[in-house]
Amino acid sequence: MAPGVQGPVVIDVAAVTKSYGSGRGRVDALRGVDLTVHEGEIVAIVGQSGSGKTTLLQMLGAVDVPTSGTVEVSGHDLASMRERDLTGFRRSVVGFVFQQFNLIPTLTAFQNVEAAAVNLPGGGEPADRIGDLLTQVGLGDRMDHRPAELSGGEQQRVAIARALVNDPRIILADEPTGNLDTETGHEVLELLTGVAASGQRTLVLITHDDRVAAAAERVVTIRDGLIVDDGDTSGAPGGLRG
């Protein structure tokens, strides 16, 4: 997509609140959030621990539901969907990348990606699709290794391949470099933004790290459950800057 040209809206969050508990123990994690994200955007949501950023990401991925307000993702009104449909949504519409990798320790890299494959695009052979993805993320020669035999960066690359296996149009990444050293984190972030840009996927990154946020086209700041700033970073979209 040409610079400055926005695609259709794929994420539309309106007046979303989320509260946990009641009475004196009540916690208002989100207090009226509005957010619109367009197809192909790379957006960083930043904030300190407890600001509500992870709660917001969980709403986008249909992992949690709002107390009030609406969340629409790729035309799906998540609050109106049945659990069976939400499971399909989480498997095919969005791809998740987590700080903790969440790989199955007894499975190889190939098998970890294979375990997530439910809706392979193009009708090709699953093994070919998985092999191509692991090669794309730089693990063509590590497919038969289990997580304990892989570095942290390699494990996160497996997680990225797993997130991509069903060809989701939206990638949700929660602190994807949080458990990595600076150099490895930089490499993983370049990989994430690269695969998003090359496939015109939408990427939403949750982070508290300014260096990670600088990889985005747009930075959304959340504080105490409210979005307090929503703007663009300078420079070319879709890659690390500075």
Side-chain angles (χ1 to χ4, degrees), residues 33-104:
V33 168
D34 298 296
L35 178 67
T36 299
V37 179
H38 294 262
E39 182 182 84
E41 273 196 289
I42 297 176
V43 178
I45 301 177
V46 303
Q48 297 301 312
S49 178
S51 62
K53 61 186 186 299
T54 295
T55 301
L56 178 55
L57 193 78
Q58 290 173 339
M59 302 290 169
L60 303 183
V63 176
D64 203 349
V65 295
T67 302
S68 64
T70 60
V71 179
E72 293 188 8
V73 179
S74 286
H76 300 275
D77 180 354
L78 301 188
S80 68
M81 294 172 67
R82 295 175 297 178
E83 183 55 38
R84 181 182 64 185
D85 296 326
L86 286 172
T87 298
F89 169 88
R90 289 188 288 263
R91 287 177 172 174
S92 59
V93 177
V94 296
F96 294 92
V97 179
F98 303 98
Q99 178 178 352
Q100 302 294 339
F101 317 139
N102 291 354
L103 301 180
I104 300 171

Side-chain angles (χ1 to χ4, degrees), residues 3-242:
V5 177
Q6 290 186 322
V9 171
V10 292
I11 294 173
D12 191 5
V13 176
V16 162
T17 70
K18 181 63 182 182
S19 300
Y20 300 97
S22 60
R24 292 186 178 181
R26 170 172 162 158
V27 175
D28 295 320
L30 298 175
R31 299 190 294 129
V33 168
D34 298 296
L35 178 67
T36 299
V37 179
H38 294 262
E39 182 182 84
E41 273 196 289
I42 297 176
V43 178
I45 301 177
V46 303
Q48 297 301 312
S49 178
S51 62
K53 61 186 186 299
T54 295
T55 301
L56 178 55
L57 193 78
Q58 290 173 339
M59 302 290 169
L60 303 183
V63 176
D64 203 349
V65 295
T67 302
S68 64
T70 60
V71 179
E72 293 188 8
V73 179
S74 286
H76 300 275
D77 180 354
L78 301 188
S80 68
M81 294 172 67
R82 295 175 297 178
E83 183 55 38
R84 181 182 64 185
D85 296 326
L86 286 172
T87 298
F89 169 88
R90 289 188 288 263
R91 287 177 172 174
S92 59
V93 177
V94 296
F96 294 92
V97 179
F98 303 98
Q99 178 178 352
Q100 302 294 339
F101 317 139
N102 291 354
L103 301 180
I104 300 171
T106 56
L107 300 184
T108 64
F110 184 97
Q111 291 166 336
N112 264 281
V113 178
E114 184 180 38
V118 294
N119 187 31
L120 296 184
E125 290 295 325
D128 292 340
R129 166 74 175 169
I130 295 165
D132 288 347
L133 277 173
L134 286 168
T135 299
Q136 181 183 353
V137 300
L139 294 176
D141 59 347
R142 308 285 278 171
M143 297 186 198
D144 295 329
H145 289 67
R146 291 179 172 80
E149 302 169 314
L150 301 171
S151 68
E154 288 172 334
Q155 290 184 60
Q156 193 61 295
R157 289 170 183 269
V158 175
I160 292 170
R162 179 184 59 192
L164 294 173
V165 70
N166 296 314
D167 197 27
R169 307 317 301 158
I170 299 170
I171 304 170
L172 305 176
D174 190 0
E175 300 281 6
T177 65
N179 279 343
L180 305 174
D181 62 72
T182 300
E183 182 178 353
T184 304
H186 185 96
E187 293 171 355
V188 165
L189 196 54
E190 281 194 317
L191 174 61
L192 260 178
T193 55
V195 296
S198 65
Q200 274 205 336
R201 296 180 177 91
T202 303
L203 171 61
V204 180
L205 290 161
I206 296 295
T207 187
H208 65 274
D209 189 333
D210 290 343
R211 292 170 298 182
V212 174
E217 299 166 343
R218 176 176 159 209
V219 178
V220 175
T221 304
I222 189 167
R223 184 183 303 135
D224 298 328
L226 289 168
I227 290 178
V228 296
D229 190 31
D230 185 346
D232 296 336
T233 58
S234 60
L240 292 174
R241 304 187 182 100

